[in-house]
Amino acid sequence: DGNVYPIVKIAGMYWIKENLKTTHFNNGDQIEELALDSLWEYTNLGEIPAWCYYNQNPTYNNDYGKLYNWYAVNDSRNLCPVGWHVSSRFEWMSMVDNLGGASIAGGKLKETGTLHWDSPNIDASDSSGFSGLPGGERGFGFSGFGELGKWWTSDEYNTTTAKNYFISNYDAYASPDIDSKILGLSVRCVRDF
């Protein structure tokens, strides 16, 4: 898609410093944009890879990237650029541990100030350079914009759920979570070893 992403090295791994913005897998196949809530809710029936803009507003793309369901994340055609992959739960855990543990790592991952984050944006320092933004999520509607940054991992939990990490404006935690595969979340990529 011609996207150019800055990178940052954290805990010995190179991370894309922005949320993914692609509309294609790295083999060139298009990922389906699903705007209608009624269609998005049923992507799990056919395990359809899909993306959307938060609240269907394309002006959010430049800063926040796109939201993807886990079927796009888990597709063998690879959502990330060639030479990169969707971050795993282990890679997130390693990064969080390197930043001092879950109770403080979120602050080190969040962009500072309240340009993108709603107040109070507690303990935000971005000392890691990750520059996490609160792109929110999509489920049965949209929520969390300005308050919640949530990123898929490549790890499945069971047939209907997968693992992710999130940070919030209300604390400094970087927390693991498990959610339905139909949710639309942000994605960060890590360079292959």
Side-chain angles (χ1 to χ4, degrees), residues 54-131:
Y54 185 88
N55 213 25
Q56 304 311 332
N57 187 341
T59 62
Y60 291 142
N61 186 61
N62 190 50
D63 288 345
Y64 301 95
K66 293 175 175 60
L67 301 176
Y68 301 89
N69 66 11
W70 196 76
Y71 302 111
V73 167
N74 189 50
D75 196 285
S76 63
R77 293 171 287 182
N78 193 4
L79 188 64
C80 294
V82 174
W84 296 76
H85 61 273
V86 175
S87 50
S88 70
R89 182 73 170 263
F90 175 78
E91 288 164 333
W92 269 93
M93 287 173 49
S94 296
M95 176 172 63
V96 166
D97 288 348
N98 182 269
L99 295 175
S103 64
I104 62 171
K108 296 177 180 182
L109 293 168
K110 290 189 286 185
E111 179 192 67
T112 60
T114 56
L115 175 64
H116 296 102
W117 285 93
D118 291 349
S119 184
N121 201 14
I122 291 175
D123 292 333
S125 70
D126 198 21
S127 61
S128 67
F130 186 82
S131 302

Side-chain angles (χ1 to χ4, degrees), residues 32 39-49 69 71 75 182:
E32 189 163 356
L39 293 177
W40 187 272
E41 293 166 13
Y42 294 104
T43 58
N44 63 328
L45 296 178
E47 299 186 0
I48 301 165
N69 66 11
Y71 302 111
D75 196 285
I182 70 163

